[in-house]
Amino acid sequence: MDMECNKDFSASYMLLKPEEVGFFDLMHILFSSDMEKRKFVDSSSATEESFGRRWIIFLSIVAQKTLSFVSKPLATVGSAIEMGLNLLSSNGNLFNLIYNSIRGRVVIPDKESADFFSFIGNLDKRPELDSNIKHGDVRYNAALSMMASKLSYENQPHIQNTVTHTWKMEFVGFYDYWNDYQGKATTQAFIMRDKGEDHDTIVVAFRGTEPFDSDAWSSDVDISWYEIEGVGKIHGGFMKALGLQKSVGFPKDLDKNSELNLARPKPLAYYDIREKLYTLLKENDKTKFILTGHSLGGALAILFPAVLSIHDDKWLLRKLEGVYTFGQPRVGNHTFGDYMKNEMVEHDIRYFRFVYGNDLVPRLPYDDNALMFKHFGTCVYSNRHYQAKIVEEEPNKNYFSPLKAIPMMGNAIGELVRSFTIPRSMGPEYREGGFLRLFRVIGLVIPGVPAHCPQDYVNATRLTSPDIFLPPKESNATTSHTKIQ
């Protein structure tokens, strides 16, 4: 078994292996409660699953197998859509594209250039930081983190150009990281340095789930879990994306001379980023770092300090100034949440988890008896008017509710209308493009999809009252703020 040499890492576990599932195996999932005897499940001997849990396992395996099957055509479709969007923008608009085609002067975008935008980037092309939020403003780290999270979806030349020339900061590097369980590089992150006379901050931004990336979606829907004694249960798909190793789990140090590590084409995210942070942070005693990410990137951002804590890496934890996540899914159970809250307090780490409106992703995986996933940390919830408040849990925590369907669709109509009116009320920098407006139409049917877009999270961090980021005793952040006039 993959985990048989890893008992010190995980007290109990349930690891799904969809590549070993046949049709009859799928049927047996629903009728046998003993997961231990299934070849596609690597589990501790005590693992017995209820029907509700088996149904979730069934859906998870079907989703992973489907994603594996459609991986190449999905990537091809995504690439074609991205090229089409960039073709339009490179030629000005559809009319100019047709005109240039007639003249034989079509401007063909280069996918590896700094001017090329990803699918996510086309939803919000704003490159500049908010000039009204300077370092020293309590909103600064959150606003910078969201822009870095948005930028993480782009190619390396685009990221490097934006960080270096637009933001006037130091670009450290962009990295692809290996996933042992998928046998390919599935995780991306970039590192930059925000350095001034009064501050020196390293920013690590993890890329989230790209719409046409089946590998990232597989990490999201993989509900394997690992229970670590004294820590709690943790989402297996996210752990694998961060650098969990087959057979050995998450040892504190890599055996760089082992056959497995020598054969790995790309490094593992956790270990490589940790090593780079040690190098950068030792240059200056006052240097700190922050972790950030949108969607899947947010899950990796909060799991990184969790593994540091498991390894008792107090030096790096003391250097961690804050974690800022946006549209982040749940990553562990109630015990894990309590463990992390204590660690955050002990090491004076600020953790802000931003949730906008009806965003579907923060409501996943479900907080119910079958899945038992729980959020923790300071939840900054913003509504359609970008009024923000600190809440224990975002409203409608599991998203699917017949009673909420009509109000959510009504809210989606309001968001579509707002896309036309917000430039007049808040300024031209809040203008939305036609592609995002088209995407908002999807919200009339599935409100949680466009609500996950970076545009609303960028707006939320910029328009949120500074009171939200003050310690509780200094803030009245339980009330709403910053209403659009």
Side-chain angles (χ1 to χ4, degrees):
M1 295 192 300
D2 289 328
M3 297 294 293
E4 65 182 359
C5 299
N6 195 26
K7 294 177 181 177
D8 292 338
F9 165 71
S10 180
S12 61
Y13 50 86
M14 193 277 293
L15 175 63
L16 299 182
K17 298 186 286 186
E19 67 278 4
E20 298 186 19
V21 176
F23 175 78
F24 290 107
D25 293 320
L26 275 175
M27 296 301 101
H28 288 159
I29 291 175
L30 300 177
F31 300 104
S32 174
S33 64
D34 190 354
M35 291 290 102
E36 185 190 4
K37 295 180 180 179
R38 301 299 174 198
K39 64 179 181 180
F40 52 85
V41 177
D42 186 2
S43 65
S44 55
S45 58
T47 301
E48 294 279 338
E49 305 292 353
S50 65
F51 176 79
R53 178 69 179 176
R54 297 200 308 276
W55 173 245
I56 297 297
I57 291 172
F58 173 86
L59 293 177
S60 175
I61 290 178
V62 169
Q64 289 181 71
K65 290 188 76 67
T66 302
L67 286 165
S68 177
F69 180 75
V70 303
S71 177
K72 290 184 178 180
L74 190 64
T76 300
V77 170
S79 181
I81 292 175
E82 282 187 346
M83 181 58 73
L85 291 169
N86 282 275
L87 195 62
L88 284 173
S89 59
S90 295
N91 289 274
N93 53 46
L94 181 59
F95 175 80
N96 285 341
L97 176 60
I98 295 172
Y99 180 60
N100 287 343
S101 298
I102 295 172
R103 297 191 303 159
R105 297 183 180 179
V106 175
V107 179
I108 305 297
D110 179 3
K111 295 191 70 171
E112 300 303 320
S113 76
D115 297 323
F116 194 88
F117 281 88
S118 67
F119 181 95
I120 296 295
N122 273 283
L123 292 168
D124 180 5
K125 290 187 174 182
R126 291 175 292 181
E128 299 88 1
L129 302 174
D130 190 331
S131 60
N132 297 314
I133 303 178
K134 307 290 187 182
H135 187 269
D137 188 317
V138 291
R139 298 170 296 172
Y140 180 79
N141 279 353
L144 176 62
S145 292
M146 183 55 227
M147 288 298 288
S149 296
K150 180 170 79 79
L151 185 61
S152 69
Y153 288 97
E154 306 306 327
N155 62 34
Q156 178 173 331
H158 188 134
I159 295 172
Q160 184 170 357
N161 182 67
T162 301
V163 170
T164 304
H165 296 107
T166 306
W167 298 355
K168 308 299 182 185
M169 297 177 187
E170 178 186 344
F171 175 75
V172 177
F174 174 85
Y175 312 99
D176 279 310
Y177 291 117
W178 194 254
N179 184 321
D180 262 0
Y181 290 82
Q182 293 191 31
K184 62 181 78 173
T186 65
T187 303
Q188 292 77 35
F190 81 90
I191 302 176
M192 67 180 197
R193 190 170 198 159
D194 176 20
K195 190 174 183 178
E197 293 182 0
D198 59 345
H199 67 284
D200 186 3
T201 307
I202 307 297
V203 180
V204 180
F206 291 93
R207 178 180 291 180
T209 303
E210 296 176 284
F212 300 95
D213 184 354
S214 63
D215 297 327
W217 282 110
S218 291
S219 294
D220 292 338
V221 302
D222 180 359
I223 60 164
S224 301
W225 54 262
Y226 302 89
E227 183 173 16
I228 302 173
E229 188 173 355
V231 176
K233 286 185 178 181
I234 308 176
H235 188 289
F238 301 148
M239 292 284 274
K240 295 171 186 176
L242 189 60
L244 186 77
Q245 301 172 70
K246 285 188 175 182
S247 300
V248 296
F250 257 124
K252 185 170 184 178
D253 297 302
L254 280 177
D255 179 2
K256 295 184 178 180
N257 295 319
S258 73
E259 184 176 334
L260 178 61
N261 287 320
L262 289 172
R264 193 177 287 120
K266 297 280 186 179
L268 299 169
Y270 169 77
Y271 297 98
D272 189 65
I273 292 173
R274 187 184 66 177
E275 184 176 337
K276 286 177 167 56
L277 285 172
Y278 264 102
T279 300
L280 293 166
L281 294 168
K282 285 180 178 179
E283 294 176 3
N284 184 347
D285 288 341
K286 295 182 179 180
T287 305
K288 298 282 190 177
F289 75 101
I290 58 178
L291 299 163
T292 188
H294 169 260
S295 191
L296 167 64
L300 301 181
I302 191 57
L303 280 180
F304 188 90
V307 181
L308 287 178
S309 178
I310 292 169
H311 292 158
D312 198 29
D313 197 331
K314 297 185 183 299
W315 189 84
L316 266 185
L317 287 170
R318 284 196 298 268
K319 292 286 188 176
L320 177 55
E321 186 173 346
V323 182
Y324 300 83
T325 71
F326 307 89
Q328 171 212 312
R330 298 181 176 100
V331 297
N333 67 356
H334 181 75
T335 303
F336 176 72
D338 287 344
Y339 171 84
M340 286 301 295
K341 283 188 282 188
N342 291 333
E343 290 296 300
M344 295 292 185
V345 170
E346 179 180 345
H347 298 287
D348 194 26
I349 301 168
R350 306 203 73 186
Y351 169 38
F352 289 96
R353 181 176 62 83
F354 287 80
V355 177
Y356 167 76
N358 293 312
D359 186 352
L360 172 60
V361 176
R363 276 89 176 179
L364 300 172
Y366 294 147
D367 176 2
D368 59 18
N369 291 332
L371 287 173
M372 299 176 291
F373 281 85
K374 301 282 184 180
H375 274 308
F376 64 95
T378 303
C379 178
V380 182
Y381 174 77
S382 298
N383 65 11
R384 187 178 80 241
H385 304 290
Y386 302 118
Q387 297 170 319
K389 59 182 178 180
I390 303 295
V391 296
E392 186 70 24
E393 181 78 63
E394 56 270 18
N396 192 22
K397 68 177 183 178
N398 283 337
Y399 186 78
F400 292 104
S401 169
L403 296 177
K404 299 287 186 179
I406 293 178
M408 285 197 297
M409 291 179 182
N411 188 72
I413 293 173
E415 289 173 332
L416 182 59
V417 172
R418 184 196 62 199
S419 70
F420 293 92
T421 61
I422 193 171
R424 292 198 298 271
S425 60
M426 297 307 300
E429 66 270 26
Y430 290 90
R431 187 182 309 278
E432 296 185 6
F435 181 52
L436 177 56
R437 287 173 180 167
L438 180 63
F439 208 64
R440 290 205 186 278
V441 173
I442 298 175
L444 304 182
V445 180
I446 313 174
V449 174
H452 191 56
C453 294
Q455 175 96 16
D456 288 317
Y457 282 100
V458 172
N459 293 350
T461 54
R462 294 182 176 189
L463 298 173
T464 292
S465 167
D467 289 351
I468 287 290
F469 301 98
L470 297 175
K473 64 180 180 181
E474 301 178 40
S475 171
N476 294 318
T478 53
T479 57
S480 59
H481 302 282
T482 317
K483 184 175 181 179
I484 292 179
Q485 301 300 316

